[in-house]
Amino acid sequence: MTACPFHARHDADAPAVTRPTRTIVPVRANANANAEASLSANTNTNTNTSTSTSTSTSTSIGASASADAVVVHNPAAEALLAPLLDPALRMRPPGEPLPPPLRTQGGPLAEVFARWLRQRDDATHAPEKAALSRALLALSDDDVRAHARRQAAIAARGGWSHWHWAVPASTVASLLGLAMDDVDAQRRLHGRLRAMAAGLGAQAEDEAVRAGGEAVAALLAALDDAEHRAPDAPLQWTLLRHAAPPRWTDRATFTANRLALIWQSHEAGAALLGHALLEEGRTRGPRVGEAPTREDLLRLAREGGAVRVTRRFDVRQTPPAPVTVPLAGTDAPFGDGAHRCPGRGLALETSLAALQWLAEQPALRPPTAIAPLALPNMDIPQFKDEELFP
Ligand code: HEM
């Protein structure tokens, strides 16, 4: 396992699999050809295009390419497929949609977990993912930037220990129409997401799962309320237009995956933003006006500054064996294949806009790094609880 370039601490209990390069997968060429065709059919404004087809406006390409890749049944080709493209590597062991703590305790956290696209490989995953990807692609960068800048300005009043944690999830919540108007609202959201994180822990106690469930219930109710009170909120609007409840197995699956947009942005977003602060020391006075570029953030993510590994279960083995799949050190920090991140564009635009806002603030006090939060799949930098402005 590659050591974290930022914090020399990492260990995993599952064997790592190496990631073959793309060029040896002839079948993939066909998939890309199809993707190119579909791209010209439904491209919208999100322009974070780069040369290699598999990463331009990744969500739509990802969805169509992975759907094509699944038809590959040539065992030799499958053995060569990158782990993220290997249909035998699944999110959950067959028949076990829930990890033990959630299976035992049940409740709202278990109910949303079982419905999350992130945890499923069933037949409805691809069409639901495609609808969600269209809704995220339909978001305008201007809206994302405006909401991210506003949340960055509000979060600045919460100090350095709060800023990088608050901005990613508060921006998605604000785009969904939740009232994110002050630091207290950001802290309430953060507290609920940390309760969900504790309830999703591999060794979570019943009480943590119960408290996580309460947080889920509160957020689901807030999102339902926003759907009626603010249907024109940018992301609520694109969801209702491109991925409305009838496009999902049922309304509960729609609402669970709407909540997942906030959840998915939370830890990974804080990791990337925190590592950007660490790396550039962006707040030093003389560097005002200098913000990182999209390429800077992608490099950081590739180097391990976001999600470092992901996990699958190899269903060719009995019982299905857990497999750790490295993302750090590869060109797929936002994943690949069926589970490729549909929020890549939104995530990068949010971080860029927030760091740009920060770079425009004169006389900021630099943050003081303390021990990071080390999670099984990423390290999230932490900073001393100090004011941003002396
Ligand atoms: C820096 C921020 C982010 C990073 C590094 C990141 C990374 C990833 C990665 C690596 C995966 C695939 C995991 C796997 O294959 O096991 C993933 C999945 C996902 N991400 Fe992101 N993500 C980020 C932000 C976001 C945001 C902002 C959203 C939504 C607004 C989002 C929504 C999702 C969803 C829904 C999935 C599950 C997709 C599926 O399983 O089909 N992510 N993300």
Side-chain angles (χ1 to χ4, degrees), residues 353-365:
L355 290 163
Q356 179 58 45
W357 177 87
L358 206 57
E360 293 163 9
Q361 311 311 309
L364 276 175
R365 171 209 315 264

Side-chain angles (χ1 to χ4, degrees), residues 243-310:
R247 289 189 177 278
W248 300 79
T249 307
D250 51 28
R251 181 171 167 83
T253 306
F254 164 75
T255 58
N257 285 285
R258 181 172 58 184
L259 170 59
L261 299 176
I262 301 177
W263 170 247
Q264 289 286 148
S265 68
H266 172 50
E267 291 179 336
L272 186 60
L273 209 45
H275 281 112
L277 288 177
L278 269 182
E279 176 177 275
E280 296 289 333
R282 296 247 160 241
T283 55
R284 280 192 211 92
R287 305 183 70 118
V288 164
E290 229 182 282
T293 63
R294 181 181 296 274
E295 283 58 44
D296 290 331
L297 292 181
L298 284 170
R299 176 183 46 71
L300 261 180
R302 280 194 294 269
E303 290 171 357
V307 182
R308 296 173 45 69
V309 296
T310 186

